[in-house]
PDB file of all heavy atoms in Angstrom:
ATOM      1  N   VAL A  45     106.618 106.208 146.609  1.00 88.00           N
ATOM      2  CA  VAL A  45     106.211 107.299 145.713  1.00 88.00           C
ATOM      3  C   VAL A  45     107.420 108.129 145.306  1.00 88.00           C
ATOM      4  O   VAL A  45     107.601 108.457 144.125  1.00 88.00           O
ATOM      5  CB  VAL A  45     105.125 108.176 146.385  1.00 88.00           C
ATOM      6  CG1 VAL A  45     104.893 109.455 145.606  1.00 88.00           C
ATOM      7  CG2 VAL A  45     103.834 107.392 146.521  1.00 88.00           C
ATOM      8  N   ALA A  46     108.279 108.467 146.270  1.00 86.00           N
ATOM      9  CA  ALA A  46     109.485 109.239 145.953  1.00 86.00           C
ATOM     10  C   ALA A  46     110.410 108.469 145.023  1.00 86.00           C
ATOM     11  O   ALA A  46     111.008 109.047 144.107  1.00 86.00           O
ATOM     12  CB  ALA A  46     110.217 109.612 147.240  1.00 86.00           C
ATOM     13  N   GLY A  47     110.533 107.152 145.227  1.00 86.00           N
ATOM     14  CA  GLY A  47     111.364 106.333 144.351  1.00 86.00           C
ATOM     15  C   GLY A  47     110.819 106.275 142.932  1.00 86.00           C
ATOM     16  O   GLY A  47     111.580 106.313 141.961  1.00 86.00           O
ATOM     17  N   CYS A  48     109.501 106.198 142.799  1.00 87.00           N
ATOM     18  CA  CYS A  48     108.894 106.190 141.460  1.00 87.00           C
ATOM     19  C   CYS A  48     109.074 107.532 140.766  1.00 87.00           C
ATOM     20  O   CYS A  48     109.334 107.585 139.556  1.00 87.00           O
ATOM     21  CB  CYS A  48     107.414 105.825 141.560  1.00 87.00           C
ATOM     22  SG  CYS A  48     107.149 104.098 141.978  1.00 87.00           S
ATOM     23  N   VAL A  49     108.942 108.619 141.512  1.00 88.00           N
ATOM     24  CA  VAL A  49     109.197 109.946 140.936  1.00 88.00           C
ATOM     25  C   VAL A  49     110.647 110.044 140.473  1.00 88.00           C
ATOM     26  O   VAL A  49     110.930 110.535 139.372  1.00 88.00           O
ATOM     27  CB  VAL A  49     108.859 111.056 141.958  1.00 88.00           C
ATOM     28  CG1 VAL A  49     109.388 112.405 141.508  1.00 88.00           C
ATOM     29  CG2 VAL A  49     107.359 111.120 142.192  1.00 88.00           C
ATOM     30  N   ALA A  50     111.569 109.553 141.292  1.00 86.00           N
ATOM     31  CA  ALA A  50     112.986 109.576 140.907  1.00 86.00           C
ATOM     32  C   ALA A  50     113.232 108.694 139.691  1.00 86.00           C
ATOM     33  O   ALA A  50     114.021 109.057 138.806  1.00 86.00           O
ATOM     34  CB  ALA A  50     113.850 109.126 142.077  1.00 86.00           C
ATOM     35  N   TYR A  51     112.560 107.552 139.625  1.00 87.00           N
ATOM     36  CA  TYR A  51     112.720 106.680 138.464  1.00 87.00           C
ATOM     37  C   TYR A  51     112.279 107.384 137.184  1.00 87.00           C
ATOM     38  O   TYR A  51     112.993 107.381 136.173  1.00 87.00           O
ATOM     39  CB  TYR A  51     111.923 105.387 138.639  1.00 87.00           C
ATOM     40  CG  TYR A  51     111.794 104.608 137.353  1.00 87.00           C
ATOM     41  CD1 TYR A  51     112.871 103.913 136.839  1.00 87.00           C
ATOM     42  CD2 TYR A  51     110.599 104.595 136.642  1.00 87.00           C
ATOM     43  CE1 TYR A  51     112.770 103.213 135.646  1.00 87.00           C
ATOM     44  CE2 TYR A  51     110.487 103.902 135.457  1.00 87.00           C
ATOM     45  CZ  TYR A  51     111.570 103.217 134.965  1.00 87.00           C
ATOM     46  OH  TYR A  51     111.471 102.542 133.789  1.00 87.00           O
ATOM     47  N   PHE A  52     111.085 107.987 137.217  1.00 88.00           N
ATOM     48  CA  PHE A  52     110.588 108.642 136.009  1.00 88.00           C
ATOM     49  C   PHE A  52     111.415 109.873 135.638  1.00 88.00           C
ATOM     50  O   PHE A  52     111.485 110.244 134.480  1.00 88.00           O
ATOM     51  CB  PHE A  52     109.112 108.992 136.159  1.00 88.00           C
ATOM     52  CG  PHE A  52     108.225 107.792 136.034  1.00 88.00           C
ATOM     53  CD1 PHE A  52     107.489 107.340 137.114  1.00 88.00           C
ATOM     54  CD2 PHE A  52     108.157 107.082 134.847  1.00 88.00           C
ATOM     55  CE1 PHE A  52     106.691 106.231 137.009  1.00 88.00           C
ATOM     56  CE2 PHE A  52     107.349 105.962 134.729  1.00 88.00           C
ATOM     57  CZ  PHE A  52     106.622 105.535 135.812  1.00 88.00           C
ATOM     58  N   ARG A  53     112.038 110.485 136.612  1.00 88.00           N
ATOM     59  CA  ARG A  53     112.889 111.630 136.319  1.00 88.00           C
ATOM     60  C   ARG A  53     114.222 111.204 135.711  1.00 88.00           C
ATOM     61  O   ARG A  53     114.721 111.847 134.801  1.00 88.00           O
ATOM     62  CB  ARG A  53     113.126 112.439 137.609  1.00 88.00           C
ATOM     63  CG  ARG A  53     114.209 113.478 137.565  1.00 88.00           C
ATOM     64  CD  ARG A  53     113.954 114.528 136.506  1.00 88.00           C
ATOM     65  NE  ARG A  53     115.030 115.478 136.428  1.00 88.00           N
ATOM     66  CZ  ARG A  53     116.091 115.374 135.634  1.00 88.00           C
ATOM     67  NH1 ARG A  53     116.254 114.328 134.862  1.00 88.00           N
ATOM     68  NH2 ARG A  53     117.009 116.301 135.606  1.00 88.00           N
ATOM     69  N   PHE A  54     114.807 110.126 136.201  1.00 88.00           N
ATOM     70  CA  PHE A  54     116.150 109.727 135.783  1.00 88.00           C
ATOM     71  C   PHE A  54     116.191 108.523 134.852  1.00 88.00           C
ATOM     72  O   PHE A  54     117.269 108.022 134.546  1.00 88.00           O
ATOM     73  CB  PHE A  54     117.011 109.422 137.013  1.00 88.00           C
ATOM     74  CG  PHE A  54     117.271 110.624 137.862  1.00 88.00           C
ATOM     75  CD1 PHE A  54     116.743 110.721 139.135  1.00 88.00           C
ATOM     76  CD2 PHE A  54     118.052 111.664 137.392  1.00 88.00           C
ATOM     77  CE1 PHE A  54     116.988 111.820 139.922  1.00 88.00           C
ATOM     78  CE2 PHE A  54     118.295 112.777 138.162  1.00 88.00           C
ATOM     79  CZ  PHE A  54     117.765 112.858 139.435  1.00 88.00           C
ATOM     80  N   ARG A  55     115.067 108.029 134.374  1.00 85.00           N
ATOM     81  CA  ARG A  55     115.061 106.794 133.570  1.00 85.00           C
ATOM     82  C   ARG A  55     115.837 106.914 132.270  1.00 85.00           C
ATOM     83  O   ARG A  55     116.362 105.932 131.772  1.00 85.00           O
ATOM     84  CB  ARG A  55     113.640 106.328 133.328  1.00 85.00           C
ATOM     85  CG  ARG A  55     112.861 107.160 132.359  1.00 85.00           C
ATOM     86  CD  ARG A  55     111.465 106.571 132.164  1.00 85.00           C
ATOM     87  NE  ARG A  55     110.737 107.345 131.170  1.00 85.00           N
ATOM     88  CZ  ARG A  55     109.926 108.334 131.458  1.00 85.00           C
ATOM     89  NH1 ARG A  55     109.713 108.655 132.723  1.00 85.00           N
ATOM     90  NH2 ARG A  55     109.294 109.001 130.519  1.00 85.00           N
ATOM     91  N   LYS A  56     115.927 108.105 131.717  1.00 86.00           N
ATOM     92  CA  LYS A  56     116.666 108.275 130.462  1.00 86.00           C
ATOM     93  C   LYS A  56     118.116 108.696 130.695  1.00 86.00           C
ATOM     94  O   LYS A  56     118.928 108.640 129.779  1.00 86.00           O
ATOM     95  CB  LYS A  56     115.974 109.317 129.592  1.00 86.00           C
ATOM     96  CG  LYS A  56     114.610 108.865 129.120  1.00 86.00           C
ATOM     97  CD  LYS A  56     113.932 109.928 128.295  1.00 86.00           C
ATOM     98  CE  LYS A  56     112.545 109.458 127.905  1.00 86.00           C
ATOM     99  NZ  LYS A  56     111.790 110.507 127.218  1.00 86.00           N
ATOM    100  N   ASP A  57     118.426 109.116 131.913  1.00 86.00           N
ATOM    101  CA  ASP A  57     119.766 109.627 132.196  1.00 86.00           C
ATOM    102  C   ASP A  57     120.729 108.560 132.702  1.00 86.00           C
ATOM    103  O   ASP A  57     121.916 108.598 132.381  1.00 86.00           O
ATOM    104  CB  ASP A  57     119.695 110.764 133.216  1.00 86.00           C
ATOM    105  CG  ASP A  57     118.928 111.963 132.693  1.00 86.00           C
ATOM    106  OD1 ASP A  57     118.900 112.138 131.451  1.00 86.00           O
ATOM    107  OD2 ASP A  57     118.351 112.705 133.500  1.00 86.00           O
TER     108      ASP A  57
END
Side-chain angles (χ1 to χ4, degrees):
V45 169
C48 289
V49 168
Y51 167 74
F52 285 114
R53 167 60 183 91
F54 294 113
R55 72 178 183 266
K56 294 178 183 174
D57 296 333

